[in-house]
């Protein structure tokens, strides 16, 4: 018995001393700045991987997943915020003192500089699906991205990772996408080794993609006959890929298109949502000019609605352009068909519980993988 306890003590001591030892690979000297990054501890949340990272846009949807990943791996994460309430949930994602909130304003350079000054990596996730009276698409996607890239160069930041969007194109009919492309160009011209990330529509627990389609309940507007092809990607996959980019020297100066495992039309996605939720989603195809007009009128409301520019985006097929993908990070995207139930279950009608048990076949024909049943 005593011998067993001693053995356990010894192995614990051995593990502790191993965790406290330093190895050559625990020390990285930045070739760009000469700065040293020193790892301490056995790895994980309570150790330090030596990185100090700033995540602009951390209070958004992707931001919370990325901050969680970075902090879980022992990075110090600076979380710039506008509204204190929006960043509170981020504080508990890292060990004590590892998450450092800093108040910023995009038009106050000193505040941005303070958030960048100590970091070796800056992620720029700033973005908006709609314009406000204070900030246009260009203000957020181009001007702010340029300022952050400039300040990062000034303060010898090692890596700059810029989040753009799938289908970003200077000539796009969508101003969201054309400004995203301008932002990419500007960032590259200022910070040539920047990594550009273009995610497709992201889905997850708090998304504005599946949830919006499911919430349209009685009436869902189909644009383009529901024929636009998209490749929705799981937000956790995008955050995981961006976390990997922190260490991956093969991602420097590259562009990544992060898309889901399969292509769907909006019509197929609605069918999928209907099968899972049992919602009676009616579908009306609305011609684009009418939809844009309705969206413009709805945009006068004081709360966020479907923007006119989002109608434009709903007309554009996701097209891969041959740049790097998940495969280059040795990752496989999660299947929407296998995991969609997690995000859609909450939309199920109470009628679902009254139905007899189904045996793997939904409705008349089985169109999707049945593991979500
Ligand atoms: N979600 C998608 O499906 C999708 C698809 C393709 C590309 N993207 C891009 O991926 C990035 C992250 O997406 P997301 O869904 O996480 O976006 P999100 O939830 O809308 O979050 C956007 C973030 O940007 C910040 N931001 C926006 N305007 C700002 C301003 N004027 N001043 C200061 N901060 C501002 C927001 O801060 P506040 O919280 O203070 O507002 C928030 O932290 C964005 O660049 C987005 O354009 C997203």
């Amino acid at each position: 018995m005593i011998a067993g306890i001693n053995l356990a003590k010894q192995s614990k001591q051995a593990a502790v001393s191993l965790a406290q030892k330093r190895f050559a690979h625990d020390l990285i000297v930045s070739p760009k700045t000469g700065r040293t990054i020193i790892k301490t501890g056995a790895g994980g949340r309570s150790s330090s991987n030596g990185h100090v990272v700033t995540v602009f846009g951390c209070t958004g949807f992707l931001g919370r997943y990325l901050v969680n990943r970075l902090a879980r791996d022992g990075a110090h994460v600076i979380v710039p915020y506008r509204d204190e309430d929006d960043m509170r949930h981020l504080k508990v994602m890292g060990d004590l003192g590892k998450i450092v909130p800093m108040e910023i304003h995009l038009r106050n350079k000193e505040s941005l500089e303070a958030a960048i000054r100590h970091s070796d990596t800056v992620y720029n996730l700033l973005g908006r699906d709609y314009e406000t009276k204070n900030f246009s698409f260009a203000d957020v996607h181009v001007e702010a991205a340029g300022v952050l890239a400039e300040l990062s160069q000034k303060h010898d930041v090692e890596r700059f990772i810029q989040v753009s969007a799938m289908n970003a194109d200077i000539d796009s009919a969508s101003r969201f996408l054309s400004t995203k492309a301008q932002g990419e160009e500007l960032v590259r011209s200022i910070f040539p080794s920047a990594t550009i990330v273009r995610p497709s529509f992201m889905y997850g627990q708090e998304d504005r993609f599946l949830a919006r389609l499911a919430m349209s309940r009685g009436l869902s507007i189909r644009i383009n006959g529901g024929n636009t092809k998209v490749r929705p990607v799981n937000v956790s996959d995008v955050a995981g890929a961006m976390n990997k980019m922190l260490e991956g020297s093969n991602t420097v100066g590259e562009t990544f298109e992060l898309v889901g495992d399969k292509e769907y039309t909006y019509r197929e996605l609605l069918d999928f949502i209907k099968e899972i939720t049992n919602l009676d989603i009616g579908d009306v195809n609305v011609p684009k000019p009418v939809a844009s007009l309705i969206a413009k009128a709805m945009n006068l409301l004081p709360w966020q609605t479907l923007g006119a520019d989002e109608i434009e985006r709903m007309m554009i097929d996701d097209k891969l352009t041959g740049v790097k993908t998940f495969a280059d990070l040795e990752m496989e995207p999660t299947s929407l068909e296998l995991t969609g139930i997690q995000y859609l279950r909450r939309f199920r009608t109470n009628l679902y519980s009254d139905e007899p048990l189904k045996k793997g076949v939904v409705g008349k024909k089985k169109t999707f993988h049945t593991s979500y049943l």
Side-chain angles (χ1 to χ4, degrees):
M1 177 74 174
I2 290 173
I5 292 172
N6 282 341
L7 203 63
K9 259 189 191 164
Q10 275 168 12
S11 59
K12 198 176 166 193
Q13 276 165 359
V16 169
S17 68
L18 191 67
Q20 286 169 348
K21 276 218 170 88
R22 301 278 181 284
F23 298 96
H25 60 259
D26 289 334
L27 178 80
I28 303 165
V29 181
S30 154
K32 183 178 166 190
T33 60
R35 226 186 247 181
T36 48
I37 293 173
I38 305 166
K39 287 186 191 173
T40 51
R45 182 187 154 103
S46 296
S47 33
S48 170
N49 66 6
H51 288 284
V52 182
V53 179
T54 307
V55 183
F56 286 98
C58 57
T59 49
F61 173 43
L62 172 61
R64 80 183 59 178
Y65 289 85
L66 180 60
V67 171
N68 187 36
R69 291 290 178 117
L70 292 166
R72 210 169 63 182
D73 285 353
H76 268 86
V77 191
I78 294 169
V79 291
Y81 66 91
R82 291 195 284 185
D83 184 336
E84 209 174 337
D85 284 343
D86 292 340
M87 66 79 195
R88 215 161 265 159
H89 60 286
L90 301 174
K91 273 181 153 178
V92 288
M93 288 182 177
D95 216 354
L96 198 64
K98 285 284 190 63
I99 306 285
V100 186
M102 294 186 87
E103 190 172 353
I104 55 140
H105 191 284
L106 279 196
R107 297 206 170 97
N108 179 340
K109 263 196 182 184
E110 284 75 42
S111 69
L112 301 176
E113 211 160 347
I116 288 175
R117 191 176 294 136
H118 301 285
S119 298
D120 56 79
T121 303
V122 169
Y123 286 93
N124 177 20
L125 276 56
L126 295 178
R128 262 291 170 259
D129 287 339
Y130 53 93
E131 296 184 301
T132 63
K133 67 180 186 327
N134 294 321
F135 290 96
S136 65
F137 283 133
D139 289 340
V140 182
H141 298 160
V142 191
E143 206 182 301
V147 171
L148 296 184
E150 253 171 41
L151 294 175
S152 300
Q153 272 296 28
K154 181 177 163 191
H155 287 284
D156 280 341
V157 167
E158 176 82 14
R159 302 285 310 275
F160 190 89
I161 299 172
Q162 162 77 8
V163 180
S164 178
M166 198 61 199
N167 303 324
D169 178 2
I170 300 265
D171 301 321
S172 176
S174 151
R175 275 186 303 125
F176 173 91
L177 293 173
S178 64
T179 50
K180 279 285 188 190
Q182 288 169 38
E184 283 185 16
E185 274 193 9
L186 184 62
V187 164
R188 268 277 153 71
S189 66
I190 299 169
F191 204 112
S193 63
T195 303
I196 310 279
V197 179
R198 294 184 190 151
S200 179
F201 289 103
M202 289 184 280
Y203 65 89
Q205 218 47 271
E206 318 83 351
D207 69 10
R208 297 182 297 274
F209 182 68
L210 288 183
R212 182 178 275 171
L213 291 174
M215 273 192 300
S216 50
R217 301 235 159 190
L219 180 69
S220 169
I221 298 176
R222 280 190 186 183
I223 320 284
N224 196 19
N227 293 321
T228 306
K229 297 181 191 114
V230 284
R231 304 187 66 131
V233 59
N234 193 300
V235 66
S236 290
D237 291 343
V238 177
M242 290 178 67
N243 185 27
K244 266 196 159 186
M245 288 173 190
L246 186 65
E247 304 281 3
S249 52
N250 59 341
T251 63
V252 174
E254 299 289 347
T255 300
F256 284 80
E257 280 172 347
L258 301 182
V259 297
D261 66 325
K262 207 172 145 186
E263 184 177 81
Y264 300 89
T265 62
Y266 273 95
R267 186 187 294 273
E268 284 169 340
L269 279 173
L270 271 182
D271 288 345
F272 174 60
I273 292 168
K274 272 192 219 176
E275 282 188 19
I276 288 191
T277 59
N278 264 18
L279 285 171
D280 182 20
I281 307 177
D283 55 80
V284 179
N285 186 50
V286 182
K288 189 185 141 200
V290 179
S292 301
L293 208 67
I294 296 172
K296 273 184 193 149
M298 279 171 38
N299 289 168
L300 297 174
L301 294 169
W303 57 87
Q304 189 206 344
T305 53
L306 186 70
D309 196 80
E310 286 176 89
I311 305 280
E312 286 292 348
R313 283 175 74 193
M314 287 170 83
M315 304 285 295
I316 301 170
D317 289 339
D318 274 354
K319 276 190 220 95
L320 288 163
T321 59
V323 294
K324 292 199 167 180
T325 61
F326 277 119
D328 297 284
L329 295 163
E330 290 167 11
M331 287 178 73
E332 258 186 52
T334 308
S335 157
L336 171 62
E337 283 167 31
L338 291 179
T339 56
I341 179 73
Q342 292 173 31
Y343 316 114
L344 290 166
R345 186 182 276 118
R346 67 194 166 110
F347 295 104
R348 272 183 177 168
T349 60
N350 57 342
L351 294 176
Y352 184 87
S353 320
D354 298 336
E355 286 191 354
L357 276 178
K358 291 173 184 170
K359 286 186 187 146
V361 178
V362 187
K364 284 187 191 118
K365 66 179 174 113
K366 173 176 165 282
T367 46
F368 292 99
H369 201 288
T370 49
S371 58
Y372 58 72
L373 281 172

